[in-house]
Amino acid sequence: MKVGVFSTKSYDRTFLEAANVDDQHDLVFFEPRLTMETSVLATGLPAICAFVNDQLDAKTLSAIAQTGVRLIALRSAGFNHVDLAAARDLELTVLRVPAYSPFSVAEHAVALILSLNRKIHRAYNRVRENNFALEGLLGFDLHGRTVGIVGTGKIGALTAKILHGFGCRLTGYDVSQNPDCLGMGMEYLSLPELFATADIVSLHCPLLPETYHLIDAAAVNQMKEGVMLVNTSRGQLIDTKAVTQGLKSGKIGYLGLDVYEQETDLFFDDLSNQVIQDDIFQRLLTFPNVLITGHQAFFTEEALRNIATTTISNITDFAQGRPCLNQISLDRVKK
């Protein structure tokens, strides 16, 4: 198939081309992200490959459907940026990569925890300026601390496993209990109970209508004073304004983000020569106890290889008329 790959970076091209050696699809790489304005690039292409910041709303889907697109191959697990109802009505097939490397995200979540706790980011800048003073760099032992894992699927369970190795007490919240987590001694609690007892709260749940702004002002007020909050899942799980107020009051003592609710116009591009217009994001950067990475938790060799392999396999299944287990349908999501 001829496939238009949007939001292409050099690493996307490298891994997709390597995965495509045997399948021999005609991959056409576009640097711009897919929007209504760039949808014309899909003209004559039966398939497009999109990433998390591509715009797949009803208007854009209608536009690319009119150009001849029949397949949308997401190179991501998340699909909250896709209007599935519109895709169904337009008879567009949407495929995704349900799993790539849960280790990558789990390990990054723990890296944020360690960096925030021991203030590695601040210490690094100090030493570069020949400042070896320790004032302001005091951390705490992870051993014996209570960590609340919100969402105990594959990534949440692996995060719990790593922190269990540090000797942390594990609590969790999910719609169903993970036997592996129970085997590590995790205690499942209600969200208010988890917030009230956890020294560290790590988010590992999908973005659904019921999880939108899961961390709002009420949730922040339920948390322990000086709590550490880490999010490597979806930016919109957090009400950024509420969390900013929590930082100002001291209720939130540490904040680690790899995702941000308004990241679409920020992440994955070099904006170092521009003035960022997002005042809320800029405010976050002024706090010394905030550490933000640009949606890089997934960014390991193993994850990119798995994403590329599954994406190409999905396209091949569609091209050859085979059923694809990775198809997303509105009916399946509602179930």
Side-chain angles (χ1 to χ4, degrees):
M1 291 189 75
K2 193 170 186 178
V3 184
V5 184
F6 285 85
S7 298
T8 300
K9 303 298 183 185
S10 61
Y11 44 84
D12 294 311
R13 185 166 192 150
T14 297
F15 283 91
L16 283 170
E17 286 182 337
N20 189 43
V21 169
D22 294 331
D23 296 77
Q24 291 294 302
H25 295 294
D26 184 5
L27 304 180
V28 183
F29 295 97
F30 301 116
E31 289 187 14
R33 68 186 183 97
L34 178 60
T35 64
M36 183 63 189
E37 290 69 28
T38 62
S39 61
V40 66
L41 294 173
T43 301
L45 300 174
I48 62 110
C49 179
F51 195 47
V52 293
N53 280 355
D54 287 307
Q55 192 175 71
L56 297 167
D57 57 8
K59 289 183 178 180
T60 305
L61 292 178
S62 179
I64 64 174
Q66 290 177 31
T67 68
V69 171
R70 309 299 340 139
L71 170 66
I72 298 171
L74 302 177
R75 54 186 192 276
S76 63
F79 52 88
N80 54 278
H81 56 309
V82 184
D83 188 328
L84 293 177
R88 177 198 58 195
D89 295 342
L90 293 164
E91 298 183 348
L92 293 170
T93 298
V94 184
L95 309 178
R96 68 170 181 144
V97 180
Y100 34 91
S101 173
F103 300 99
S104 64
V105 181
E107 290 170 6
H108 193 81
V110 176
L112 288 174
I113 291 170
L114 290 169
S115 297
L116 282 166
N117 174 26
R118 303 310 296 267
K119 302 170 179 61
I120 303 298
H121 54 303
R122 299 184 66 191
Y124 170 78
N125 287 323
R126 281 193 189 185
V127 170
R128 284 174 62 86
E129 297 175 357
N130 298 326
N131 178 356
F132 305 105
L134 298 183
E135 286 81 1
L137 301 182
L138 187 67
F140 57 83
D141 288 354
L142 281 179
H143 182 86
R145 295 284 176 160
T146 299
V147 181
I149 305 292
V150 181
T152 57
K154 290 182 180 179
I155 296 173
L158 283 171
T159 304
K161 184 176 181 180
I162 296 170
L163 292 168
H164 182 254
F166 279 94
C168 295
R169 173 178 175 256
L170 301 174
T171 61
Y173 171 82
D174 208 323
V175 293
S176 60
Q177 298 184 3
N178 187 326
D180 292 337
C181 292
L182 291 171
M184 290 183 280
M186 176 178 285
E187 180 184 5
Y188 278 86
L189 304 171
S190 68
L191 270 180
E193 291 173 327
L194 184 148
F195 291 150
T197 56
D199 300 297
I200 300 167
V201 175
S202 190
L203 304 180
H204 300 281
C205 47
L207 178 60
L208 302 169
E210 55 268 31
T211 61
Y212 176 79
H213 282 184
L214 183 73
I215 307 300
D216 56 12
V220 171
N221 289 334
Q222 292 169 354
M223 295 180 185
K224 291 181 69 173
E225 194 76 17
V227 68
M228 180 186 293
L229 176 63
V230 173
N231 186 13
T232 53
S233 293
R234 291 290 179 266
Q236 291 171 310
L237 296 177
I238 286 180
D239 179 345
T240 312
K241 291 183 179 179
V243 167
T244 300
Q245 289 301 315
L247 287 164
K248 291 171 67 176
S249 70
K251 188 72 170 182
I252 297 177
Y254 313 79
L255 177 66
L257 301 178
D258 185 58
V259 289
Y260 171 62
E261 62 176 327
Q262 301 297 332
E263 71 178 53
T264 301
D265 295 324
L266 294 176
F267 289 0
F268 305 113
D269 291 312
D270 181 358
L271 306 180
S272 57
N273 291 320
Q274 300 181 30
V275 176
I276 293 177
Q277 301 300 312
D278 188 329
D279 293 338
I280 296 175
F281 185 80
Q282 292 291 75
R283 182 71 178 95
L284 283 178
L285 295 179
T286 67
F287 292 98
N289 53 343
V290 172
L291 178 56
I292 301 174
T293 54
H295 205 136
Q296 73 176 77
F298 78 101
F299 198 60
T300 65
E301 293 178 10
E302 292 80 3
L304 289 181
R305 188 176 299 113
N306 291 340
I307 289 170
T309 300
T310 302
T311 299
I312 295 299
S313 177
N314 286 342
I315 295 169
T316 300
D317 285 342
F318 179 85
Q320 296 184 0
R322 296 196 297 256
C324 186
L325 296 176
N326 297 328
Q327 181 172 350
I328 311 167
S329 68
L330 189 63
D331 293 337
R332 183 182 297 182
V333 171
K334 285 183 176 179
K335 288 179 183 179

